[in-house]
Amino acid sequence: MDHGITIGAVSGLKDIESTIDGITSGGADAVLTQKGLADRVHAHKNGAGYIIHLNASTSIGPDSNDKRRTGTVEEAVRAGADAVSYHINVGSKYEREQLADLATVTDEADRLGMPVLAMAYARGAHLDGEDPEHNAEYLGHAARLAEEAGADVVKTAYSGDAESFEHVTSSTSLPVVIAGGSPGTDRGTVEMVRGAMDAGADGVSMGRSIFQHDDPEAITTAVSAVIHDDATVESALERAGLAVEA
């Protein structure tokens, strides 16, 4: 839920306290925001972990791929975080600066005992193909980059099917979690999670698909059922009280 900088106070983020209560009640293991929202998070996370994101850009600025530092690991420690995260766009013209920043963040975090979640995406003009952001080869490179730079967990996009995503999970020894992307149907979201887990992923790090849902607690319950209980798509939807029809 670090999207307030990126896209503003959209649905699900205005009353972020209620959203946090809902998703943590539904089984989310951690909440992720920018540092300025720490006081709004702690009282509502129901014992879940807290991750502070350390860079950002806006959707209305000159280039959304140009993520800039918004915080330090030390600030995250002071704000009561359990981990930090940092975003890098592999293949963009900002890749080299973001790579250097990620390496600095992992060094700072190691000295302070903080795990680092690297959000490593394939995004930018230097990538070829029809849908490079979901190309398994590019995503595997991004995941490996995160490990090489010292991250502890890597988040990346889903390639679209379990068979191709196996290349991504096998490209690194780190735990791999997937992004949610643009909100879709409940079944589509849960099927994506099921496919990623079948390919060797370790979980998800979802934003809009969760916090912009009509019932954030219910969709979190369904996703958590797949991740924590190895549920099928149908049983996860049923457990959450969501429609099971295709």
Side-chain angles (χ1 to χ4, degrees), residues 32-49:
L32 186 153
T33 75
Q34 292 281 346
K35 64 185 181 184
L37 296 185
D39 288 344
R40 300 179 68 177
V41 172
H42 286 299
H44 301 276
K45 60 188 177 70
N46 297 312

Side-chain angles (χ1 to χ4, degrees), residues 14-239:
K14 287 185 177 179
D15 180 11
I16 197 170
E17 291 85 352
S18 294
T19 305
I20 292 168
D21 270 324
I23 65 163
T24 53
S25 296
D29 299 292
V31 176
L32 186 153
T33 75
Q34 292 281 346
K35 64 185 181 184
L37 296 185
D39 288 344
R40 300 179 68 177
V41 172
H42 286 299
H44 301 276
K45 60 188 177 70
N46 297 312
Y50 182 38
I51 304 169
I52 288 182
H53 196 52
L54 299 181
N55 64 342
S57 62
T58 74
S59 60
I60 57 176
D63 193 335
S64 61
N65 283 336
D66 187 11
K67 303 288 184 179
R68 300 295 180 103
R69 289 288 294 267
T70 56
T72 66
V73 180
E74 184 179 348
E75 286 178 307
V77 171
R78 293 202 305 266
D82 302 294
V84 295
S85 59
Y86 188 83
H87 182 126
I88 179 170
N89 291 311
V90 180
S92 76
K93 63 183 179 181
Y94 310 105
E95 177 192 282
R96 60 183 183 179
E97 291 89 353
Q98 291 171 356
L99 175 56
D101 276 349
L102 175 59
T104 299
V105 166
T106 60
D107 178 54
E108 294 171 355
D110 184 60
R111 285 187 280 109
L112 293 171
M114 291 284 274
V116 177
L117 164 65
M119 300 186 183
Y121 292 95
R123 292 179 181 172
H126 295 279
L127 305 179
D128 299 319
E130 190 173 307
D131 187 14
E133 293 189 18
H134 299 93
N135 179 289
E137 292 295 325
Y138 288 141
L139 297 175
H141 190 163
R144 183 52 176 257
L145 178 151
E147 180 176 9
E148 301 270 353
D152 300 286
V153 182
V154 59
K155 169 183 176 177
T156 196
Y158 183 54
S159 57
D161 59 81
E163 183 178 2
S164 65
F165 201 68
E166 286 180 359
H167 170 72
V168 183
T169 59
S170 65
S171 294
T172 176
S173 67
L174 296 183
V176 176
V177 299
I178 64 164
S182 300
T185 65
D186 295 341
R187 174 173 285 275
T189 296
V190 178
E191 284 178 343
M192 178 174 65
V193 177
R194 182 68 269 172
M197 297 299 289
D198 289 342
D202 291 270
V204 305
S205 176
M206 288 182 161
R208 292 168 293 163
S209 296
I210 302 295
F211 72 74
Q212 288 199 304
H213 194 276
D214 290 340
D215 189 339
E217 182 174 352
I219 191 64
T220 304
T221 297
V223 170
S224 296
V226 174
I227 294 169
H228 293 302
D229 300 324
D230 199 27
T232 64
V233 172
E234 286 72 18
S235 63
L237 291 169
E238 288 175 357
R239 185 182 304 187

